[in-house]
Amino acid sequence: MFESHVHTQSWSLAIICALVVTALVYLRGWLSLRDAFPSLIRGWRLATFMTGLFLVWTAVASPLATLDHQSLTIHMMKHLLLMTVAAPLLLAGVPMIPLVCGLPKVFTRSHLPLASLLARWLERSPTHPVLCWIAGTAAVIGWHLPVAFQLGMRSHWMHSLQDVSFLVAGLLFWWPIVRSSPSATRSPRWSMALYLFLATLPCDILSAFLVFCNRLVYPFYLSTHQLFSMVPLQDQECAGALMWVWATFAYLIPAVAITVQILSPSNTQSQGFVQAARQRVAGRSLNGVEV
């Protein structure tokens, strides 16, 4: 018990230090960018990034993080918070530019080849929507398999890895959706609505199984003190219902917003202008060839 408490405290302290350093580096970079290019990164992006960091702390290093060993509902809330709220908020802050600009000049000069290699890797990173969708789905389904779940709850290191993998999977999943410009992805915009709709299906299957299976899937909670005076099976049903409702709103609301944006008259008119301009340019080039 003492070893568990020491590990929890050391992990929480490490997370807090990492989040504070990240926030300070981002703020330093954002302030320098604001002085040089006032309209490059707006203030709302700073607010969303800081909110995302705060939610990561809430899910991983706050007192709430210690309650997931007593309630599957709290456990589900933590990972939904990381994947569907904190991750898109962090990406909405366009973190790479302020973080790179916020690093000390001594570090960037002495590690210039490393920084160049990192930037090149980020440009060529596997951001295809299919791979991002698989990463998010694999994290949700894989960690909720009974064997992996039991291992993650009984091993402190595996539990920490579980939290990190949910955040990383969330960042990968939302990368095709939350981006600075529509040209940041090669996929058509309408495919993102389908991308989000398909993401609800694995969550619906898992949550429906937790709600309607009528048996305890994770025996770990039989040996723990339950919160809210619920028996473990009731806690499991509540966790499944939470995931069902939360994931549905988290994925379908952006999907509807993207669909409305695509079907809006202004967007349709701008696409018509672009298509007409392309046809005009193509016609001129053909005339030039014929002459």
Side-chain angles (χ1 to χ4, degrees):
M1 181 64 69
F2 177 75
E3 183 181 356
S4 172
H5 182 68
V6 170
H7 179 274
T8 301
Q9 284 189 337
S10 60
W11 171 249
S12 299
L13 182 60
I15 290 296
I16 292 172
C17 292
L19 293 177
V20 170
V21 170
T22 303
L24 292 176
V25 172
Y26 183 95
L27 180 61
R28 183 174 184 267
W30 183 84
L31 290 174
S32 62
L33 287 172
R34 187 190 63 174
D35 294 337
F37 309 99
S39 61
L40 181 61
I41 299 181
R42 300 291 184 177
W44 67 267
R45 294 192 181 273
L46 171 66
T48 57
F49 186 81
M50 295 301 175
T51 304
L53 291 180
F54 174 77
L55 292 178
V56 172
W57 170 82
T58 302
V60 177
S62 72
L64 175 67
T66 62
L67 299 178
D68 66 341
H69 282 71
Q70 303 179 36
S71 173
L72 181 60
T73 303
I74 300 297
H75 179 88
M76 192 71 70
M77 184 184 301
K78 279 182 48 180
H79 291 156
L80 289 171
L81 199 64
L82 286 172
M83 287 197 70
T84 63
V85 185
L89 287 177
L90 290 175
L91 291 176
V94 194
M96 289 310 303
I97 301 177
L99 288 176
V100 172
C101 293
L103 290 174
K105 294 182 179 180
V106 176
F107 178 84
T108 55
R109 289 175 181 175
S110 59
H111 296 78
L112 185 58
L114 180 61
S116 177
L117 182 63
L118 178 61
R120 191 175 304 173
W121 179 84
L122 289 171
E123 291 178 357
R124 301 178 181 179
S125 59
T127 57
H128 193 279
V130 174
L131 297 178
C132 295
W133 189 92
I134 291 175
T137 303
V140 172
I141 301 299
W143 280 113
H144 286 94
L145 295 175
V147 176
F149 186 90
Q150 294 286 114
L151 181 61
M153 298 304 290
R154 297 187 185 278
S155 171
H156 303 293
W157 296 108
M158 291 299 294
H159 190 70
S160 302
L161 176 63
Q162 186 183 60
D163 291 338
V164 172
S165 64
F166 269 99
L167 179 60
V168 172
L171 292 172
L172 286 174
F173 176 83
W174 288 100
W175 178 260
I177 305 297
V178 184
R179 58 190 187 277
S180 57
S181 64
S183 60
T185 181
R186 297 178 180 179
S187 301
R189 189 62 174 163
W190 62 264
S191 65
M192 295 297 98
L194 180 63
Y195 176 93
L196 289 167
F197 172 75
L198 293 177
T200 63
L201 300 182
C203 297
D204 291 344
I205 294 173
L206 176 60
S207 57
F209 176 74
L210 294 176
V211 172
F212 298 114
C213 68
N214 292 325
R215 65 180 180 85
L216 191 63
V217 179
Y218 309 119
F220 172 83
Y221 290 105
L222 286 174
S223 58
T224 60
H225 175 71
Q226 289 290 312
L227 298 177
F228 314 119
S229 301
M230 291 191 301
V231 298
L233 184 58
Q234 290 177 336
D235 182 38
Q236 176 181 298
E237 294 172 351
C238 182
L242 174 66
M243 183 180 187
W244 206 334
V245 175
W246 191 323
T248 299
F249 281 98
Y251 294 149
L252 290 187
I253 289 179
V256 172
I258 292 173
T259 304
V260 171
Q261 181 183 9
I262 293 173
L263 298 178
S264 62
S266 59
N267 185 72
T268 305
Q269 186 177 7
S270 62
Q271 288 182 352
F273 287 154
V274 171
Q275 186 177 3
R278 289 178 178 175
Q279 291 177 354
R280 185 175 302 176
V281 171
R284 289 179 179 177
S285 62
L286 289 176
N287 292 333
V289 170
E290 291 176 357
V291 171

